[in-house]
Amino acid sequence: GTTDIALNPTNTTLGFVGSKVVGSHEGEFEKLDGKVSFSGTDAASAKIEITVDTGSVKTDNEMFTNHLKDGDFFDVAAHPTATFRSTRITAGAKEGTHTVVGDLSIRGAAKQVTFPAKVYLDDKLFNAESEFVINRKDFGMVYPGKPDNLINDEVVIKISIQSKRI
C-alpha cells in the first residue's frame, strides 16, 4: 500500500537566503502544507506536494519582509500561494543522495526545477534535505534593488522534511 505523510510546519521547514551587495537576508515561510506519498522503501515511488502561504514569509528584517510581500517580489495579494509538485525522484550513485525533479510555481509562473537532495525513507518515515539555487527572475521577481546595492538574481532555497515515525 501507499503511505501518506502530511507535511506542515512541525515537520517541514522551507527557508531561503537572498543576497545583495552589502549582505544577505535569511528567511523562511511559517505556513505551508502538503503531503508526501510513497510505497515501501523506494524513493522513486515518492511524490511530494507542498503549498506555501507566501504571506507567511518572515525574514530577519521587518522592512524587507514587508517588501517581499508586495508587487516587487511575491505579490501575495495576487498570488497568495506558491506550490511545488515533484514529478520524478531518482537515486544517485551514493546512498541517500537523490535527484528531485518537479514543477515550482511562484507568482503564477511555473517552471521545472531539478535539485539534489539527501533522502531517507523506510516504510513509515520520509526524510529529505536539500539546498539549491533558483533564479528569482524566472518567477517574475525582477526588482533590481538600489543602484548601489543590487540584489543577486540567485536565491538559495533550503528545505528540510523530517517526518516522525507513525
Side-chain angles (χ1 to χ4, degrees), residues 40-74:
T41 59
D42 179 13
S45 75
K47 297 243 184 295
I48 304 167
E49 293 183 15
I50 299 176
T51 299
V52 177
D53 176 343
T54 55
S56 75
V57 66
K58 184 99 194 247
T59 72
D60 49 16
N61 177 298
E62 192 179 352
M63 272 177 64
F64 181 58
T65 297
N66 290 334
H67 192 183
L68 284 178
K69 294 178 186 182
D70 78 17
D72 286 336
F73 294 101
F74 288 106

Side-chain angles (χ1 to χ4, degrees), residues 47-164:
K47 297 243 184 295
I48 304 167
E49 293 183 15
I50 299 176
T51 299
V52 177
D53 176 343
T54 55
S56 75
V57 66
K58 184 99 194 247
T59 72
D60 49 16
N61 177 298
E62 192 179 352
M63 272 177 64
F64 181 58
T65 297
N66 290 334
H67 192 183
L68 284 178
K69 294 178 186 182
D70 78 17
D72 286 336
F73 294 101
F74 288 106
D75 195 5
V76 301
H79 302 285
T81 60
T83 59
F84 174 76
R85 298 207 178 346
S86 68
T87 52
R88 195 166 71 245
I89 299 177
T90 50
K94 294 201 292 257
E95 191 183 342
T97 63
H98 291 73
T99 299
V100 179
V101 181
D103 298 315
L104 179 62
S105 179
I106 305 172
R107 280 181 67 122
K111 204 168 165 49
Q112 188 181 74
V113 294
T114 301
F115 55 89
K118 286 188 191 131
V119 176
Y120 169 82
L121 81 162
D122 59 28
D123 55 356
K124 295 189 183 69
L125 190 69
F126 180 92
N127 290 346
E129 298 260 346
S130 181
E131 190 170 306
F132 61 99
V133 169
I134 62 169
N135 186 322
R136 65 190 177 88
K137 287 185 173 168
D138 288 344
F139 300 96
M141 295 187 215
V142 295
Y143 177 75
K146 301 197 171 79
D148 59 347
N149 194 12
L150 293 174
I151 300 171
N152 201 323
D153 293 346
E154 314 236 293
V155 178
V156 177
I157 305 292
K158 299 176 179 185
I159 183 159
S160 170
I161 298 170
Q162 303 293 333
S163 65
K164 300 279 191 287

